[in-house]
Amino acid sequence: MDHRMHQTDALGQSRETDVEERLRKLLGEIIGDHALITGISGDTDIVNDLGLDSIQMINFLLRLEDEFDVELDFEHLTFDQLGSLRELGRFVLAEAGRPS
């Protein structure tokens, strides 16, 4: 196994974990329950499990853009990506890597 590839995978996993943690904190702030952060896993369905209403979802997405300094391409954001914290984190990383 190429050692450099392993480093890249570890870095990628570390970035995903960091993004998920930051998303958890944002969700706790939006919902107003910081204790909720510990109960959110990578598989948590943001729409169905957390019960965000439409205003909370808009606020969350706007705060997400500020937090990660990205402009989300809402044409490419789907409910599948909101289906889990992990998928949303991957979408954010992809958006951050997109040329503006």
Side-chain angles (χ1 to χ4, degrees):
M1 179 169 127
D2 186 349
H3 181 66
R4 288 173 296 180
M5 181 174 285
H6 179 67
Q7 285 178 328
T8 302
D9 290 346
L11 179 60
Q13 182 64 37
S14 174
R15 288 183 66 208
E16 280 187 28
T17 302
D18 177 57
V19 167
E20 286 181 27
E21 185 60 32
R22 291 165 66 186
L23 289 171
R24 278 186 195 88
K25 288 178 184 174
L26 280 177
L27 285 165
E29 291 171 11
I30 293 296
I31 294 172
D33 184 357
H34 293 283
L36 177 73
I37 295 170
T38 59
I40 299 173
S41 74
D43 296 323
T44 298
D45 183 319
I46 295 167
V47 175
N48 295 313
D49 293 342
L50 299 179
L52 294 177
D53 64 32
S54 58
I55 303 258
Q56 288 173 318
M57 182 58 79
I58 290 168
N59 285 333
F60 172 64
L61 293 173
L62 292 173
R63 294 275 309 276
L64 183 152
E65 287 183 322
D66 290 341
E67 174 73 19
F68 294 98
D69 194 28
V70 296
E71 188 171 326
L72 296 177
D73 182 353
F74 291 106
E75 291 182 20
H76 292 107
L77 180 63
T78 66
F79 278 110
D80 289 342
Q81 286 142 339
L82 297 173
S84 77
L85 188 72
R86 183 173 300 110
E87 285 303 314
L88 181 58
R90 289 177 182 153
F91 178 74
V92 168
L93 284 172
E95 289 295 297
R98 251 181 0 104
S100 33

